[in-house]
Amino acid sequence: MYLDYYGLASKPFNLNPDPDFLYFGQGHQMALNLLEYSLESEAGISVITGEVGCGKTTLVRHVLDTVDKTVRAGLVSNTHSEFGEFMKWVLMAFEQPYQGADKPELYERFQNFLLQQYASGFRTALIVDEAQNLNVSSLEELRMLSNINYGKHSLLQLVLVGQTELLDKLKQPELRQLAQRVCVDYHLQALNLQDTVNYIKHRLLVAGREETLFDTFSIATIFYHSGGIPRLINTLCDLSLVYGYAAEHKTIGARTILAVLKDKAKTGVFPAHVPETEQAEKVRKIVLDRSGVDIAIGT
């Protein structure tokens, strides 16, 4: 709808994970560096966590797209509490046969696969996204898989990616052996104001627009109400472009963002971030002082 009007080649704020749009702020760069280190150094088990919408899955997709050719990587995603026989999903992640086998046979098949990969000069990494949904039994199965060695070499590296609840789960007494094997862990934080500015500019640039589209006050409003969560930033930016297009605005100002938020408030679907953080409070006061608009309430 608005692509031609705003000179865009593609939608810059799509909600689907897209590695092409990955913005490497300080947090995401550190998470990527740690993941690359863990894959290169046979670090064993790595854990990456973050709030919903912080870009964890996009980061995983980037790792899968750029991983060294000597690493055979498999991905288990869309986990849930009724996941079923976990070993079958593991074998599926590496396109290995799993039909008609009981659990010991599935384990043996996977162990043979790991040995074959090692003999061929490949390292094997299993990435489990949304790992907070796995039950204790499945997480224990992962720990057992991480014990498969050949001499002093570990044959499988595990990367667990999940929401903050994963950290709480790993602290349970039943999983202390798994927690002790975690060599690398990092928690992705929400973007700060400067990263939010750079994030929006980056996505617009990738989508084909170099000129400023969101003014300073609009970005401040987006930051205030998204809490710096990339997925919420995308939601506000995308809808504001629709509203701006409908109103024939060439650039997006704070009042356009507030109009989006006002309409979203009617349904109560948009998860606005409260309470106000210290940085968000400063941003609100600066915008109010310079523009006369209270971005917290839309006056």
Side-chain angles (χ1 to χ4, degrees):
M1 176 186 290
Y2 56 70
L3 296 186
D4 291 339
Y5 184 76
Y6 287 118
L8 297 164
S10 61
K11 287 187 66 174
F13 301 105
N14 207 319
L15 294 183
N16 295 328
D18 188 342
D20 291 340
F21 283 89
L22 181 60
Y23 166 69
F24 287 104
Q26 184 177 0
H28 285 78
Q29 186 62 60
M30 177 59 75
L32 178 62
N33 291 344
L34 288 170
L35 281 175
E36 290 176 339
Y37 163 76
S38 67
L39 292 176
E40 292 173 2
S41 62
E42 298 184 18
I45 301 176
S46 304
V47 176
I48 301 294
T49 56
E51 296 295 334
V52 176
C54 272
K56 301 181 297 298
T57 298
T58 305
L59 184 67
V60 167
R61 300 291 180 183
H62 176 80
V63 170
L64 289 172
D65 288 345
T66 59
V67 69
D68 190 278
K69 293 181 179 180
T70 62
V71 177
R72 181 79 181 272
L75 173 65
V76 175
S77 58
N78 300 318
T79 58
H80 51 82
S81 57
E82 303 297 329
F83 207 50
E85 295 185 53
F86 188 69
M87 277 305 306
K88 290 183 177 181
W89 291 93
V90 172
L91 286 163
M92 287 173 60
F94 294 98
E95 301 179 343
Q96 297 300 301
Y98 61 89
Q99 298 88 345
D102 58 20
K103 185 170 288 189
E105 290 173 321
L106 292 171
Y107 183 86
E108 184 179 16
R109 286 183 187 183
F110 189 61
Q111 181 173 255
N112 290 336
F113 167 74
L114 293 178
L115 288 168
Q116 290 168 3
Q117 295 302 304
Y118 178 77
S120 300
F122 291 97
R123 289 172 289 147
T124 306
L126 176 64
I127 301 174
V128 182
D129 199 6
E130 301 295 347
Q132 79 281 349
N133 293 329
L134 294 179
N135 56 33
V136 171
S137 176
S138 294
L139 288 169
E140 264 297 288
E141 284 190 64
L142 285 174
R143 182 186 68 81
M144 295 299 294
L145 293 179
S146 71
N147 287 335
I148 302 176
N149 300 317
Y150 185 82
K152 63 179 181 179
H153 297 285
S154 176
L155 299 187
L156 179 67
Q157 294 171 260
L158 292 173
V159 178
L160 305 182
V161 182
Q163 297 169 21
T164 307
E165 293 87 342
L166 177 59
L167 294 177
D168 296 330
K169 186 163 287 188
L170 291 176
K171 294 175 184 177
Q172 295 180 25
E174 307 96 298
L175 293 173
R176 61 185 181 278
Q177 293 186 70
L178 174 61
Q180 289 172 359
R181 295 183 65 86
V182 174
C183 299
V184 171
D185 65 283
Y186 188 77
H187 185 73
L188 274 173
Q189 302 286 345
L191 303 179
N192 59 27
L193 177 60
Q194 186 57 56
D195 269 336
T196 299
V197 172
N198 294 338
Y199 174 86
I200 292 173
K201 288 182 177 178
H202 169 76
R203 293 190 73 102
L204 288 170
L205 185 62
V206 173
R209 180 174 174 121
E210 296 184 10
E211 298 86 356
T212 299
L213 183 51
F214 293 82
D215 70 21
T216 301
F217 295 143
S218 70
I219 294 179
T221 307
I222 290 166
F223 169 73
Y224 184 89
H225 287 278
S226 69
I229 300 295
R231 186 179 298 162
L232 299 183
I233 294 172
N234 287 1
T235 297
L236 287 178
C237 286
D238 184 57
L239 284 176
S240 69
L241 291 177
V242 176
Y243 279 52
Y245 168 78
E248 299 184 346
H249 293 159
K250 291 299 182 181
T251 57
I252 305 299
R255 293 193 183 277
T256 301
I257 309 299
L258 292 171
V260 171
L261 288 161
K262 182 179 179 180
D263 287 347
K264 291 290 252 181
K266 294 176 182 177
T267 63
V269 173
F270 187 79
H273 273 240
V274 290
E276 192 177 58
T277 66
E278 182 177 348
Q279 187 178 33
E281 181 183 10
K282 290 180 180 178
V283 168
R284 176 190 179 190
K285 289 179 179 178
I286 291 172
V287 174
L288 180 61
D289 180 61
R290 295 182 181 179
S291 71
V293 176
D294 188 342
I295 61 176
I297 58 177
T299 57

